[in-house]
């Protein structure tokens, strides 16, 4: 039996993709490994606020000190306080969110790097956040015993941008929770439609409102499509992020205020119905480390338009329409094709179900356990 500490903080503090990644992976890990002793590290958390543990071989190691203050101690002040001060002695520490804390000399380390969007698309992060990541991610990558990348695209970026040896990186794909499946129940669909004041025909995007998501391109495409007589609206489910003014200016310039609905953060339990009720998912991001909404939509029987950049061709495969995210006419053509070509729509829905089935959290957890075992043997 080994003692493995895992940073669970993103699962508690982040509503986006990284938080879901940590929650889902930890839950699946509990179902495939009952032998190792897992310590879930939670920064900025009171013991009374922590959720139930996923398994009998899991325990909490929490501190009320926030991750922001820990980062200041470790990376700004340079105080090498080892993480084992909080977790207790461990054989392996898994940092799940880009940055490796100081560890004792005998502790093996695994680091998850989800993407390098802050380099590839500089507007993906605010200047202070980008400066922080530029300062702390490269040494974390260099110091970790092994790296997990969310996709082959992120692995290639690590090799190119940080000169990381390829054999130091393993790609661990995310999965799709089984609750993401087609919702045909009319009462459920109507309840969600009324809750969010949804139109009958809408294009859906899911993710934080920020320039990297490229929502403005969809607005431009939909503006032209509506002028051709198509009664489609655009629905964005995601919290406020960095530089969202750009989207607001595009909506105003295109005269689309009545036809673009920003839902903000939506309840997770409503997502399957949101996907199922949509005519299509548009995820034409400029960069994604993985792109989980592509698979969630496919699992719900919703056809997908996505980018031909970064990891998205890996995730969507031949089950999505791939477009140049910089070309609003290409986005427009893809939307029109899904609206007008029933055969393409049917083909993509069928292929989407098959593509989503290739990605499971159980498979990811089994792979992760094997990686832990390999690191601990080395």
């Amino acid at each position: 039996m080994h003692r493995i500490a895992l940073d669970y903080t993103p699962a508690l503090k982040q509503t986006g993709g990284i938080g879901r990644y940590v929650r889902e992976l930890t839950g699946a890990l509990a179902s495939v490994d009952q032998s190792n002793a897992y310590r879930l590290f939670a920064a900025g958390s009171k013991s009374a606020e922590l959720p139930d543990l996923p398994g009998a071989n899991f325990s909490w190691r929490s501190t009320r000190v926030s991750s922001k203050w820990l980062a200041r101690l470790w990376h700004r002040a340079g105080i090498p306080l080892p993480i084992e001060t909080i977790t207790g002695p461990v054989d392996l520490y898994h940092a799940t969110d880009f940055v490796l804390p100081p560890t004792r000399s005998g502790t093996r380390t695994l680091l998850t790097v989800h993407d390098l969007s802050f380099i590839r698309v500089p507007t993906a992060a605010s200047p202070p956040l980008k400066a922080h990541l530029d300062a702390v991610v490269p040494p974390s990558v260099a110091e970790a015993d092994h790296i997990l990348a969310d996709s082959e695209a992120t692995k290639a970026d690590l090799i190119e941008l940080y000169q990381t040896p390829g054999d130091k990186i393993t790609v661990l794909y995310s999965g799709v929770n089984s609750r993401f499946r087609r919702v045909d129940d009319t009462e459920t669909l109507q309840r969600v439609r009324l809750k969010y004041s949804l139109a009958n025909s809408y294009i859906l995007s899911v993710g934080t409102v920020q320039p990297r998501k490229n929502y403005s391109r969809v607005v431009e495409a939909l503006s032209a499509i509506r002028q051709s007589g198509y009664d489609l609206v655009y629905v964005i489910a995601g919290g406020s992020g960095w530089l969202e003014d750009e989207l607001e200016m595009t909506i105003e310039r295109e005269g689309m205020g009545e036809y673009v609905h920003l839902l903000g953060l939506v309840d997770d339990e409503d997502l399957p119905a949101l996907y199922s009720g949509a005519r299509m998912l548009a995820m034409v991001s400029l960069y994604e480390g993985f792109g989980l909404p592509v698979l969630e939509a496919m699992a719900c029987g919703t056809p997908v338009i996505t980018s031909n950049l970064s990891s998205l061709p890996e995730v969507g495969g031949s089950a999505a329409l791939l477009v140049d995210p910089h070309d609003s006419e290409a986005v427009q053509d893809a939307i029109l094709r899904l609206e007008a070509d029933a055969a393409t729509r049917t083909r993509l829905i069928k292929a989407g179900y098959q593509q989503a089935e290739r990605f499971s959290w159980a498979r990811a957890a089994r792979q992760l356990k094997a990686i832990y075992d390999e690191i601990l043997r080395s």
Side-chain angles (χ1 to χ4, degrees), residues 295 298-299 315-316 318-319 347-359 363:
L295 294 177
M298 288 178 174
V315 179
S318 60
R347 176 181 66 80
L348 289 179
I349 290 172
K350 181 179 178 181
Y353 284 128
Q354 296 170 345
Q355 181 73 355
E357 287 176 357
R358 294 180 55 227
F359 298 83
R363 186 180 297 118

Side-chain angles (χ1 to χ4, degrees), residues 1 6 31 71 82 91 100 104 134 136 146 155 161 170 218 221 230 263 276 291 333 335 344 349 367:
M1 181 186 73
L6 184 149
S31 68
D91 302 299
L100 191 68
R104 291 175 181 159
D134 283 334
V136 300
H146 201 73
K155 178 177 178 177
L161 299 173
T170 300
V218 182
Y230 285 86
L263 303 185
S276 299
D333 291 344
I335 294 171
T344 295
I349 290 172
Q367 183 187 0

